[in-house]
């Protein structure tokens, strides 16, 4: 079967901007608003979600013709849960501080509508090479927005980025930025800016 690289690039690019899960489709809001109070948390959550998304898309695309239609969704969830469990134990073993910080939100990747939605809408209907491109694009799209959101909130809320203090003692941190309300405000402004850029383009 011939591989259409233009089509593959389109699948990849969609997740980065045109169909970005957060700023375009507005899905996966739970971790987006809950764990992005620091750059490190946003990056870690984004990468963990991206790993689960890519691996589950590969597996589901490979075995899609073997899954009976009446158990399709439970099968998808089982596959996703396997990769989430691996990710959870990996973080606890090698990055315990990050695992503790992200807490329950790693296991909750199982029910992230981004993950299940891509399996149903894309991986189960397309060949594996397209599923990989889609998974990488959506995963990176999710990750860059979470990281940017975390960086903005950490900078204004603590005067630092990635734990490195950038602003001196003179700076009075905007406490609201590390609270849930700060997540809503920052995300709203970010979505507005992205929409403005798209309109100008």
């Amino acid at each position: 079967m011939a591989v259409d690289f233009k089509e593959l690039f389109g699948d990849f690019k969609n997740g980065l901007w045109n169909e970005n899960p957060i700023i375009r489709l507005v899905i996966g809001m739970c971790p987006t608003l809950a764990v992005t109070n620091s750059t490190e948390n946003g990056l870690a959550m984004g990468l963990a979600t991206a790993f689960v998304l890519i691996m589950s898309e590969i597996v589901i695309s490979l075995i899609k013709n073997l899954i009976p239609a009446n158990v399709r969704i439970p099968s998808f969830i089982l596959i996703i849960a396997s990769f989430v469990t691996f990710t959870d134990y990996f973080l606890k073993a090698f990055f315990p501080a990050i695992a503790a910080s992200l807490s329950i939100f790693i296991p909750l990747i199982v029910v992230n509508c981004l993950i299940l939605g891509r399996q149903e809408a894309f991986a189960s209907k397309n060949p594996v090479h397209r599923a990989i491109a889609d998974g990488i694009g959506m995963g990176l799209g999710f990750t860059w927005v979470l990281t940017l959101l975390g960086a903005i909130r950490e900078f204004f809320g603590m005067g630092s980025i990635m734990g490195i203090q950038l602003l001196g003692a003179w700076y009075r941190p905007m406490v609201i930025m590390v609270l849930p309300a700060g997540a809503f405000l920052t995300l709203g402004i970010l979505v507005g800016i992205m929409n403005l850029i798209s309109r100008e383009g």
Side-chain angles (χ1 to χ4, degrees):
M1 181 177 59
V3 176
D4 185 341
F5 289 101
K6 187 176 179 181
E7 184 179 56
L8 279 184
F9 182 70
D11 293 335
F12 169 75
K13 190 176 70 170
N14 273 344
L16 293 178
W17 187 264
N18 297 334
E19 294 180 18
N20 185 279
I22 298 172
I23 59 174
R24 292 288 180 224
L25 306 181
V26 197
I27 56 177
M29 288 294 102
C30 182
T32 300
L33 299 172
V35 304
T36 56
N37 58 347
S38 74
T39 316
E40 188 178 63
N41 283 355
L43 178 61
M45 188 69 201
L47 291 176
T49 305
F51 171 77
V52 173
L53 176 61
I54 294 164
M55 297 308 295
S56 55
E57 281 211 49
I58 291 171
V59 172
I60 288 168
S61 180
L62 285 170
I63 66 170
K64 61 182 180 292
N65 295 326
L66 302 176
I67 301 175
N70 58 334
V71 292
R72 188 180 70 257
I73 300 300
S75 299
F76 293 171
I77 292 172
L78 182 62
I79 292 165
I80 293 165
S82 300
F83 288 112
V84 170
T85 302
F86 171 84
T87 304
D88 191 28
Y89 280 108
F90 177 84
L91 288 174
K92 284 176 179 174
F94 295 102
F95 303 97
I98 291 175
S101 182
L102 296 179
S103 181
I104 191 64
F105 293 101
I106 291 295
L108 282 176
I109 293 174
V110 174
V111 292
N112 188 320
C113 49
L114 163 64
I115 308 287
L116 188 58
R118 294 321 290 174
Q119 313 314 318
E120 177 68 12
F122 202 92
S124 62
K125 296 177 174 63
N126 290 286
V128 69
H129 60 278
R130 289 195 64 191
I132 292 170
D134 179 75
I136 294 173
M138 286 287 170
L140 288 179
F142 190 74
T143 302
W144 81 255
V145 175
L146 254 65
T147 306
L148 177 61
L149 199 59
I152 294 169
R153 292 180 65 196
E154 182 182 354
F155 180 77
F156 288 105
M158 293 179 263
S160 63
I161 290 182
M162 291 296 284
I164 301 168
Q165 199 65 34
L166 300 176
L167 302 177
W170 57 269
Y171 180 68
R172 295 183 64 183
M174 298 170 62
V175 180
I176 192 173
M177 294 303 286
V178 294
L179 298 175
F184 278 103
L185 288 171
T186 309
L187 181 61
I189 293 168
L190 198 57
V191 169
I193 291 170
M194 299 306 176
N195 287 339
L196 188 61
I197 291 170
S198 293
R199 233 181 272 127
E200 293 294 326

